[in-house]
Amino acid sequence: GTNIQVSVWNRSPNRCPQLPANVSRASTAEAACKSADIVLLMLSNANATNAVLQTVDHRTMSDVLAIVNLNSASSVEAKELEEAYGTYAYISGVMLADPSGLINGQCPMYLGGPEDVFDLARPVLEFLGTSMLVGSTADVPVIYDQAIVSSLLAYMHAISVGDALIRSAGLPVGPFASFMDALDVRPFGKRLLEVHETQKYESTDGEFSTNLVADFYKHG
């Protein structure tokens, strides 16, 4: 139900061998940007993003209404990219969920940059999920993302400790999981039970906490 035309380019073409009928494949990154109103960048990191953007003629970039960069970068890297390309209509952000959420349009995103660029990009971002402008510079979304991940790590570790205490006493974890659900931090009890039924738990080391955080992003 939309007239939006989409052109895509991937550094590894075999990653997207088949495309929907209404999506065209560009031969180069610059070809994908030409005649585009909105350019959406989703590369693995800041170095990859910078390398790709350097292959695009600056006149092509100047004609774009909004350039939206969603990648995994540190706050320093995000600022460096902003300084390099901020003369264009540039905005940067982070995805607060597993990228699989993009498939069904349920990916929350935090963006940082000029409000007018965000408003121009919003119709495209709405196809991916929910977006929020949290600051006027590119490093702000990254700082929020780091704060969220740090909080989740602490939360998951605390749950792991509580779970270990209960299991070491030979008690079922069900009542504990139900109570954590009742706190309404997120519906975590069911996932806690599923994870612990499939993984033997003997310690509260960081590796297990990391697994839980990955599980949170996958199912959260």
Side-chain angles (χ1 to χ4, degrees), residues 44-46 69 71-78 81 92 94 142 145-146:
S44 56
N45 53 47
N69 180 24
N71 68 29
S72 299
S74 68
S75 58
V76 173
E77 291 171 332
L81 284 171
S92 180
V94 296
V142 180
D145 183 47
Q146 292 172 339

Side-chain angles (χ1 to χ4, degrees), residues 25-105:
R25 187 192 306 274
S27 58
T28 64
E30 182 165 342
C33 294
K34 279 186 176 179
S35 302
D37 293 323
I38 308 295
V39 171
L40 180 61
L41 301 166
M42 298 181 65
L43 290 108
S44 56
N45 53 47
N47 289 335
T49 301
N50 191 48
V52 168
L53 288 178
Q54 287 182 352
T55 68
V56 180
D57 188 280
H58 69 90
R59 289 169 295 185
T60 300
M61 303 290 283
S62 299
D63 292 336
V64 174
L65 295 179
I67 302 170
V68 183
N69 180 24
L70 297 172
N71 68 29
S72 299
S74 68
S75 58
V76 173
E77 291 171 332
K79 284 290 292 181
E80 290 174 347
L81 284 171
E82 183 179 51
E83 291 171 2
Y85 303 102
T87 54
Y88 308 112
Y90 178 89
I91 192 168
S92 180
V94 296
M95 295 178 289
L96 303 174
D98 186 277
S100 61
L102 296 171
I103 299 174
N104 53 20

Side-chain angles (χ1 to χ4, degrees), residues 152-162 201 204-206 209 212-213:
L152 287 176
L153 282 169
Y155 176 61
M156 303 305 182
H157 182 72
I159 288 179
S160 300
V161 172
Y201 182 80
T204 58
D205 58 24
S209 295
L212 284 176
V213 171

